[in-house]
Amino acid sequence: MRRITASVVGTFAGTALLVALKFGDGAPPQVASAAAGGVQPLAQAGTADPSATPVPPSHQPIGQSGAARPRTSKSNRQIASKPTSKPTSKPIRAVPTGTGGGSGLKTGTFAGAASTNQYGTVRVTVTVSGGRITDLQATYPTSPSRTAQINARAIPALRQEALSAQSAQVSTVSGASYTSASYRASLQSALSAAKA
Amino acid sequence: MKASDSPLRDPRVSDQDGRRLAPSPEAIASDHRDDAGNPLLVLILFWWALIAGIAVWWFDTPDRSITSAGAALTAVGRITGMIGGFVLIIQILMMSRVAWLEAWIGAHDLLRWHRKMGAYLFVMVIAHVVFIIVGYARTDRVSITGETWSMLTTFEDMISASVATGILVAVSVLAIRAIRRRMRYEVWHVLHLSGYLVLLLSYGHQFADGADLSRPGLAHWYWGGLYAVVVACLVWGRAVEPLWLNLRHRLRVVEVVPESEDMFSVHIGGRHLDRMDVRPGQYLRWRFLTVEGLWQSHPFSLSAAPSSRSLRLTINAVGGHTADLQYLRPGTWVIAVGPYGTFTADRRIQQGTLLIAGGSGIAPVRALLEEMPAGTVVIYRASTAADLVFRRELDSLAGQRGLRVVYVLGSRHDPGPRHLFTPDGMRDLVPDVARRDVYLCGPEGLISVAVKTLHRLKVPRRQIHLDPFEF
């Protein structure tokens, strides 16, 4: 019995040591935007340049760019597009040039660059109407199950926050720092495309 | 290494009778030196394989990325889970009966380690479950029951993993000695075999949900490879080797001979017995194909060196099944699995030998005697002279080979036997006992008293060779 106690206590001490060595103030999550995928306006009523908008420098691949390979889309899921709030402003679909309001965003649907972190790839597609962000869709990793569980909670929260903030300035969802960072990066590039 | 390159396999060392002759003491000593490194190799491989398993987590977790209590608890849960998964497959590997493990470590030590690591495995798996649930719940800011429910309902393979945990808990509880002793061995053994289900049912969640294993990459292949090796050993040790042995030898009962009131010998014949790789002191698991015997497999030692014509087992009629075996009819088919055990002469590290036997423990000791050098002392413990078996064989072997056989009769409370198993008594009988290898086989009480005495006489632990199996 004493041997069992010793081996269990020893294991927990060693485990605690390993975890302590990885403990810290939180290195910024490494996310990489897939430059290869580019930013492709999907369907737009405006005159946006179809060629990719450069990804903002802050979202350039950090560390090795080899990590920036997007995952196969098999484990990615498209979030259901259901606008939770109707745009308060009048529908501006009639605006021929596509720019409206003061935001400088053109009407249309714009896909952001795929942003890859160690759990997978997040890609945000933004729908702009009348200068306002009216909808956000995202593909995100759903495997393994823990990633799916975290993203099922984080993605709607991020979407909600971006819709109300009308920008990519969304705060990190607790326990989902990687997904949050990738979401911000992809959303930012989508908005850049919408502005071009 | 294996007996195949030992002197026993040398055709020159068998006489016309086909009975194998004992190798010389020098040959035994050099043979043993070849063996000595193998347990060490297994031990080193074990630790490195475990380190590599956990390193998968280490390299997947960026530095300074654990910032909250929830993340720390989750990390502990992941590490304990990997240790648990690793120990589980080692537990299965140790019971795979694959020949190289049996030869390098020995069934006795494998069983001992299997028992000890069983309790450890139990703690690791429970820790994994608790730490993961609590860690996830803290990170997600939900209750523990809510998190548990969410995991059960949304995680891939989580239901089967929970069933596996339940089976593991049940198997562990049943393995507690006090509970195990209350059950019939056959029933207990069948229940314990459900441990294989734990491997089968927990496999899925490790690869579907394990953050480090679900992604394609070296970690995935490494852990998959561990599983493949263990399953291959299991199939080899539990199916291929037994099939091969029995197809080649076609064993059948030749005759049953009473040896004393309680003990009897079963002589078993078959084809190509001279090519059977079995040594005195080893045992096989025997299944006698009668109506009742079909479902039971029992380990019995050979009680004589194997000859080209027959094998002899000597059985103490204690349980219901073993008592029935004395009515075995000649011609009954026998399925044997083995041989197992390191209770063999090649494990000697000293020139001198002392053998201590009691009850049915005389069977392997009697067989071993044929390979022991002159000057060997045998202590044979029995209550009465009527309980002694092989007396004539022992006396004639003693004469031929220059051995000394000491019969110690009487109750354990009688002064004679009591004095013998004290340091003084043992030293009186065998003055140079500390420079001898000591082989012990017999009832638990006798063995524990004898081993205690040997420890007090400073007989080094590696010179003490315990009975080949304990059941």
Side-chain angles (χ1 to χ4, degrees), chain B residues 156-174:
Chain B
E156 222 176 301
D157 292 324
M158 198 46 70
I159 302 284
S160 57
S162 308
V163 174
T165 309
I167 294 174
L168 182 79
V169 169
V171 165
S172 308
V173 168
L174 286 177

Side-chain angles (χ1 to χ4, degrees), chain A residues 65-147:
Chain A
S65 56
R69 203 178 306 123
R71 284 174 64 86
T72 49
S73 59
K74 205 176 107 187
S75 60
N76 284 31
R77 185 167 68 190
Q78 189 91 26
I79 193 166
S81 157
K82 45 175 180 6
T84 46
S85 59
K86 279 185 178 165
T88 45
S89 57
K90 288 173 282 176
I92 332 175
R93 211 166 283 167
V95 176
T97 53
T99 44
S103 66
L105 295 176
K106 286 188 284 289
T107 294
T109 304
F110 305 89
S115 173
T116 300
N117 61 56
Q118 67 162 333
Y119 295 106
T121 300
V122 175
R123 184 171 195 147
V124 180
T125 301
V126 59
T127 303
V128 177
S129 179
R132 286 189 62 82
I133 301 171
T134 56
D135 192 18
L136 289 158
Q137 292 176 34
T139 59
Y140 52 90
T142 57
S143 163
S145 307
R146 175 61 178 165
T147 302

Side-chain angles (χ1 to χ4, degrees), chain B residues 8-194:
Chain B
L8 263 190
R9 306 304 301 158
D10 185 338
R12 286 167 301 171
V13 290
S14 38
D15 58 19
Q16 292 90 345
D17 196 30
R19 192 164 285 266
R20 291 166 200 162
L21 298 181
S24 65
E26 293 74 34
I28 289 171
S30 68
D31 196 22
H32 183 83
R33 271 196 289 277
D34 287 347
D35 268 348
N38 293 334
L40 185 65
L41 174 66
V42 172
L43 212 63
I44 290 174
L45 283 178
F46 170 85
W47 284 112
W48 277 104
L50 178 60
I51 288 169
I54 296 171
V56 166
W57 168 84
W58 178 263
F59 291 112
D60 254 4
T61 305
D63 289 342
R64 294 186 293 135
S65 66
I66 296 174
T67 54
S68 64
L73 292 172
T74 305
V76 173
R78 281 168 70 181
I79 295 173
T80 48
M82 294 183 116
I83 296 175
F86 184 78
V87 171
L88 174 66
I89 59 176
I90 295 300
Q91 285 287 76
I92 302 268
L93 176 67
M94 287 198 295
M95 290 295 111
S96 68
R97 308 234 168 106
V98 72
W100 61 270
L101 261 184
E102 297 281 336
W104 289 6
I105 309 283
H108 187 97
D109 280 345
L110 286 173
L111 187 66
R112 215 160 48 89
W113 293 359
H114 182 81
R115 279 197 189 137
K116 292 200 169 130
M117 282 171 73
Y120 181 78
L121 169 63
F122 172 79
V123 176
M124 285 303 121
V125 169
I126 296 301
H128 166 63
V129 171
V130 170
F131 277 101
I132 286 286
I133 291 178
V134 174
Y136 283 7
R138 281 196 69 128
T139 304
D140 298 349
R141 298 189 181 152
V142 297
S143 70
I144 285 171
T145 43
E147 185 66 49
T148 310
W149 180 249
S150 153
M151 288 175 72
L152 274 175
T153 48
T154 63
F155 275 39
E156 222 176 301
D157 292 324
M158 198 46 70
I159 302 284
S160 57
S162 308
V163 174
T165 309
I167 294 174
L168 182 79
V169 169
V171 165
S172 308
V173 168
L174 286 177
I176 295 171
R177 198 166 297 201
I179 296 174
R180 173 162 50 92
R181 292 246 166 97
R182 281 161 195 256
M183 300 178 72
R184 276 174 60 97
Y185 175 74
E186 291 81 19
V187 176
W188 181 86
H189 189 238
V190 167
L191 290 175
H192 198 76
L193 286 179
S194 59

Side-chain angles (χ1 to χ4, degrees), chain B residues 218-240:
Chain B
L218 193 60
H220 183 87
W221 292 109
Y222 173 68
W223 276 86
L226 287 179
Y227 269 92
V229 167
V230 169
V231 170
C233 285
L234 195 63
V235 170
W236 188 262
R238 292 267 182 179
V240 175

Side-chain angles (χ1 to χ4, degrees), chain B residues 388-449:
Chain B
L388 293 173
V389 296
F390 303 137
R391 191 157 185 179
R392 197 177 307 157
E393 284 179 28
L394 291 169
D395 289 341
S396 98
L397 272 169
Q400 279 167 31
R401 301 184 60 91
L403 319 169
R404 201 167 128 222
V405 183
V406 182
Y407 301 99
V408 182
L409 302 178
S411 143
R412 81 181 78 162
H413 305 296
D414 287 350
R418 255 176 73 179
H419 177 67
L420 176 63
F421 290 107
T422 61
D424 285 343
M426 188 70 78
R427 213 184 288 123
D428 286 348
L429 189 67
V430 195
D432 59 346
V433 59
R435 291 195 306 279
R436 285 172 183 261
D437 281 279
V438 187
Y439 287 74
L440 302 104
C441 191
E444 209 173 304
L446 171 72
I447 299 300
S448 65
V449 167

